[in-house]
Amino acid sequence: VKKEKTSLFLAGTRKDELGGSVYYEINNELGKNVPEIDFAEQRNMIYAVIDCIQDELLLSCHDISDGGLFTTIAEMLLGGNADGKIGAEININFSDLRNDKILFSETPGFVFEVEDKNVSKVKSIFKKYNLEIIDLGKTTKKDSLTIINNNKKIIELKINELKKAWTTGFVEALRWSQK
């Protein structure tokens, strides 16, 4: 992430597609639901992201892959945030899935950071491609990643703890998230 008090959005709904995921591997599960790719939707998502980048509407953007939404947000916070002073407050009440499935599903998608002045333009571009984006929350001055569902805090990690876990390995970073 680049700035505090910016909006974070999700493109690509979360689905019960954790089969073969890193999360299941850590928990000694195999799972049967691997991500099914809707190629037209993915193409449109990529085109929308490219249009937003070309119009300089996004401050940062990251694809969702290994580790799912949680890992994507963690990587974004650790990426352009060397001093660890920018955090995020994320609300995952956009889905009826269990918290772990929302956070760790490896269904393809993107998370991106947008200044408030550009939000309507970004929404308009995604609408042009018949896509909706989900408002995840905001970046904050707090040095932590907070995840909320139905007004209940389910995760709160200090950025320096997240960084420590990250530098000790991907598996440890996911374990930290479950404490």
Side-chain angles (χ1 to χ4, degrees), residues 100-118:
D100 60 339
K101 292 182 179 187
I102 297 169
L103 292 172
F104 300 108
S105 169
E106 294 180 358
T107 303
F110 293 91
V111 174
F112 44 91
E113 177 186 12
V114 182
E115 289 181 286
D116 289 345
K117 66 181 182 179
N118 294 325

Side-chain angles (χ1 to χ4, degrees), residues 6-11 44-45 47-61 110-135:
T6 56
S7 295
L8 294 172
F9 288 95
L10 165 67
N44 288 345
M45 211 178 305
Y47 287 166
V49 167
I50 290 170
D51 286 358
C52 288
I53 291 170
Q54 287 177 335
D55 290 349
E56 299 180 351
L57 299 173
L58 306 183
L59 291 172
S60 62
C61 182
F110 293 91
V111 174
F112 44 91
E113 177 186 12
V114 182
E115 289 181 286
D116 289 345
K117 66 181 182 179
N118 294 325
V119 168
S120 62
K121 292 176 190 170
V122 169
K123 286 182 178 180
S124 165
I125 288 171
F126 274 83
K127 188 173 184 166
K128 178 174 84 172
Y129 289 101
N130 295 316
L131 299 167
E132 298 216 9
I133 55 175
I134 297 165
D135 186 351

Side-chain angles (χ1 to χ4, degrees), residues 8 73 77 86-90 138-140 142 144-146 159:
L8 294 172
I73 293 167
L77 287 172
I86 300 175
E89 187 168 295
I90 305 298
K138 294 269 192 186
T139 59
T140 66
K142 294 191 301 182
S144 62
L145 169 58
T146 303
I159 299 300

Side-chain angles (χ1 to χ4, degrees), residues 157-170:
L157 284 170
K158 294 285 185 191
I159 299 300
N160 62 351
E161 291 174 355
L162 191 60
K163 187 174 188 176
K164 181 179 176 185
W166 200 252
T167 57
T168 61
F170 184 73

